[in-house]
């Protein structure tokens, strides 16, 4: 009874942790609550199995904790999406291993005798294996795509949907047969088939949809943990797994709405092929001519000195960060530039699009790392109406989320996608390495607006030079 109460307390701490992580102001408290919940869960589990091989458990705890500590200390903020994908793959692998161990030695989990397990237990084992294996390989492919090392997809989106539908049906048949026969071979076949589904689901998906994929894999890992919890009759795993699974699914749905994407299409795989002019990591620059005929239109190219002068004459500035800022590691120097503008009496705010970066909250994390005040950071819905009354919109490394074609051009692939209305500002200063397209592969009409001044160059270097020029103004 005491153990169940302690598990329930851990689950409550996890719920409060997720609530805290929903806002930058309470994120640190949410993190601490999550750490407390996990510590309590680990200690409770160790206490409940004190009579077993505690030394092995402690050794695993030290090894896992040590690796986690080293990774947390060394990982760069730009690599957080890759880190999340890697963590999801570990959850999937754990679900598969626990399910296999349960089938091979059910008496150790007090579930019955091998060869005569209840169908409910076999269903839980099968679902845990299927979801876990899919999450494992899907997360590995997502990691490789975010790193720019994923192999090229050999089939088209329509073919991918057919392949995924066939494999999904095959997995369902294997699951039903396993539940009816308790065959180890059938379960092994289910593992292989689910591993393959993970690859075929994620490989065809374009870079523009990777934020949704990271969120969906988070959801899958939660459902895998919940299935494992039912198998082990562990209420903590059931509650937290369902919590992570549901919150990940809700977040994915919200992100799809903000990207004008179909959640069902993305789940089935192959929602959007990557544009050939971009790399899968988002770091590849393309030449000004890469956008085709559209990029031949006249563009106003400005210097750092021009940007510094325009900024110094403004009364209000809204900064729009994007993945280019993350790649250049420009968040700290950008914060210094903003602080210098504030010292001149200029109002400075930050506008964050829900899918800026490569995972939910990516830009918020980077700005927090640069000690940007929380009160200066606003979400799309809270600040979009203010661009019309703003002197300067300073865009640094963002592209698709500022493209006015989303509401001006019905023929555009991103038409209907909510974007930041930066074109309504008095002057748009657009810092970018080139005039190339973003992940969506769409030429940005903002480049050619009368009030847009393009500042081509590395985001960090541009901000550093702007700071120097501001001192001279």
């Amino acid at each position: 009874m005491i153990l169940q109460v302690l598990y329930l307390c851990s689950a409550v701490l996890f719920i409060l942790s997720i609530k805290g992580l929903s806002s930058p102001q309470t994120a640190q408290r949410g993190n601490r609550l999550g750490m407390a919940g996990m510590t309590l869960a680990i200690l409770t589990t160790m206490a409940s199995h004190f009579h077993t091989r505690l030394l092995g458990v402690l050794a695993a705890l030290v090894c896992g904790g040590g690796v986690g500590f080293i990774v947390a200390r060394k990982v760069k903020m730009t690599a957080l999406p890759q880190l999340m994908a890697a963590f999801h793959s570990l959850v999937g692998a754990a679900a598969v291993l626990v399910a296999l161990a349960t089938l091979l030695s059910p008496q150790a989990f007090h579930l019955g005798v091998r060869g005569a397990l209840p169908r409910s237990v076999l269903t839980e084992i099968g679902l845990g294996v299927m979801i876990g294996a899919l999450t494992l390989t899907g997360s590995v492919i997502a990691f490789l795509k975010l790193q720019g090392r994923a192999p090229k997809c050999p089939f088209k989106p329509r073919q991918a949907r057919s392949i995924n539908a066939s494999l999904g049906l095959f997995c369902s048949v294997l699951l039903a047969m396993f539940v009816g026969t308790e065959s180890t071979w059938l379960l092994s076949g289910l593992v292989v088939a689910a591993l393959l589904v993970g690859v075929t689901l994620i490989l065809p998906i374009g870079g523009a949809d990777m934020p949704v994929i990271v969120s969906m894999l988070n959801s899958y890992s939660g459902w895998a943990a919940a299935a494992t919890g039912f198998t082990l009759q562990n209420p903590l795993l059931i509650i937290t797994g369902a919590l992570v699974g549901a919150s990940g699914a809700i977040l994915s749905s919200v992100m799809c709405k903000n990207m004008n994407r179909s959640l069902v299409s993305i789940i089935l795989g192959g929602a959007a092929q990557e544009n050939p002019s971009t790399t899968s990591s988002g770091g590849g620059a393309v030449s000004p001519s890469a956008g085709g005929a559209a990029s031949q239109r006249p563009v106003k190219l400005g210097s750092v000195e021009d940007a510094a002068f325009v900024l110094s004459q403004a009364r209000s500035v809204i900064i729009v960060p994007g993945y280019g800022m993350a790649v250049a590691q420009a968040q700290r120097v950008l914060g210094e530039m903003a602080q210098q503008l504030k010292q001149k009496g200029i109002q400075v705010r930050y506008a964050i699009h829900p899918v800026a970066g490569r995972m939910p909250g990516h830009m918020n994390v980077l700005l927090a790392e640069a000690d940007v005040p929380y009160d200066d950071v606003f979400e799309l819905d809270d600040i979009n109406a203010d661009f019309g009354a703003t002197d300067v919109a300073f865009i640094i490394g963002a592209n698709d989320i500022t493209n006015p074609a989303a509401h001006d051009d019905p023929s555009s692939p991103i038409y209907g996608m909510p974007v930041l209305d930066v074109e309504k500002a008095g002057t748009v200063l657009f810092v970018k390495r080139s005039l190339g397209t973003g992940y969506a592969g769409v030429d940005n009409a903002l480049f050619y607006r009368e009030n847009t001044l393009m500042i081509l160059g590395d985001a960090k270097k541009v901000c550093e030079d702007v700071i120097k020029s501001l001192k001279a103004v």
Side-chain angles (χ1 to χ4, degrees), residues 110-461:
H110 310 291
L111 296 175
V113 181
R114 185 177 178 184
L117 291 176
R119 290 194 173 185
S120 59
V121 172
L122 294 175
T123 302
E124 293 159 4
I125 291 175
L127 288 174
V129 160
M130 188 166 65
I131 301 173
L134 185 159
T135 304
L136 170 58
T137 51
S139 299
V140 170
I141 295 298
F143 173 86
L144 293 175
K145 289 178 78 69
L146 291 166
Q147 283 287 92
R149 298 179 181 178
K152 185 178 180 180
C153 182
F155 37 81
K156 297 180 180 179
R158 183 173 298 179
Q159 295 172 322
R161 295 189 186 100
S162 299
I163 292 172
N164 293 332
S166 300
L167 285 173
L169 179 61
F170 182 60
C171 286
S172 300
V173 172
L174 286 178
L175 176 61
M177 293 175 65
F178 165 71
V179 172
T181 62
E182 197 178 327
S183 168
T184 305
W185 288 107
L186 285 174
L187 187 64
S188 301
L190 181 60
V191 171
V192 174
L195 289 172
L196 186 58
V197 170
V199 175
T200 59
L201 271 178
I202 308 302
L203 192 58
I205 293 177
D209 293 325
M210 287 313 294
V212 181
I213 291 306
V214 173
S215 178
M216 278 306 305
L217 288 170
N218 180 54
S219 178
Y220 292 157
S221 67
W223 297 124
T228 302
F230 277 108
T231 303
L232 301 180
Q233 299 178 359
N234 186 309
L236 179 62
L237 274 176
I238 296 172
I239 295 172
T240 55
L243 181 66
V244 171
S247 59
I250 293 171
L251 179 59
S252 299
S253 178
V254 171
M255 293 177 69
C256 282
K257 180 180 178 181
N258 284 294
M259 294 172 67
N260 195 31
R261 300 289 196 193
S262 166
L263 180 61
V264 175
S265 295
I266 293 178
I267 293 174
L268 291 177
Q273 278 282 42
E274 298 201 26
N275 187 287
S277 66
T278 61
T279 65
S280 55
S281 64
V286 278
S287 66
S289 62
S295 62
Q296 303 304 318
R297 288 181 283 173
V299 176
K300 288 183 181 179
L301 296 178
S303 65
V304 170
E305 291 76 16
D306 295 330
F309 178 78
V310 172
L311 287 169
S312 67
Q313 300 302 307
R315 292 171 300 174
S316 62
V317 175
I318 296 179
I319 298 173
V320 180
Y323 190 65
M325 181 196 75
V327 172
Q329 286 286 279
Q331 61 269 23
R332 290 190 180 278
V333 67
L334 178 65
E336 293 174 14
M337 186 193 82
Q339 190 61 35
Q340 192 166 349
L341 291 174
K342 286 184 177 181
Q343 291 173 0
K344 293 179 177 290
I346 301 170
Q347 181 190 36
V348 179
R349 291 172 293 171
Y350 296 80
I352 306 297
H353 192 280
V355 295
R358 288 295 166 262
M359 74 174 190
H362 198 182
M363 294 299 105
N364 301 78
V365 172
L366 292 174
L367 294 178
E369 183 193 27
D371 297 321
V372 171
Y374 297 137
D375 293 340
D376 292 347
V377 181
F378 296 85
E379 299 296 329
L380 180 146
D381 292 336
D382 299 324
I383 200 171
N384 221 16
D386 294 351
F387 280 104
T390 300
D391 296 320
V392 178
F394 187 85
I395 304 170
I396 178 167
N399 199 331
D400 298 325
I401 62 173
T402 62
N403 194 337
H407 46 67
D408 291 345
D409 183 6
S411 65
S412 174
I414 64 171
Y415 183 71
M417 170 182 170
V419 295
L420 291 162
D421 297 331
V422 294
E423 74 278 4
K424 295 180 179 179
T427 301
V428 176
L429 296 177
F430 208 129
V431 179
K432 200 171 182 292
R433 286 186 298 177
S434 76
L435 298 178
T437 59
Y439 260 130
V442 180
D443 197 48
N444 195 338
L446 186 63
F447 296 167
Y448 317 107
R449 293 291 178 102
E450 281 293 323
N451 63 333
T452 299
L453 190 64
M454 299 296 300
I455 314 294
L456 301 183
D458 177 79
K460 185 176 182 180
K461 182 67 166 56

Side-chain angles (χ1 to χ4, degrees), residues 65-86:
V67 171
F69 178 79
I70 294 172
V71 170
R73 296 277 293 182
K74 290 189 174 183
V75 68
K76 296 180 179 179
M77 287 298 172
T78 49
L80 278 180
Q82 292 93 310
L83 181 64
M84 291 296 294

Side-chain angles (χ1 to χ4, degrees), residues 9-83:
C9 290
S10 297
V12 170
L13 287 172
F14 289 145
I15 294 172
L16 294 175
S17 174
I18 290 181
K19 179 177 174 58
L21 292 172
S22 64
S23 168
Q25 288 88 338
T26 58
Q28 290 187 350
R29 183 179 66 193
N31 240 338
R32 288 192 288 268
L33 289 171
M35 293 166 62
M38 182 56 69
T39 300
L40 179 59
I42 291 173
L43 292 177
T44 302
T45 302
M46 292 175 64
S48 64
H49 296 81
F50 189 79
H51 60 285
T52 58
R53 301 172 184 175
L54 188 59
L55 186 60
V57 174
L58 288 173
L61 187 62
V62 171
C63 290
V67 171
F69 178 79
I70 294 172
V71 170
R73 296 277 293 182
K74 290 189 174 183
V75 68
K76 296 180 179 179
M77 287 298 172
T78 49
L80 278 180
Q82 292 93 310
L83 181 64

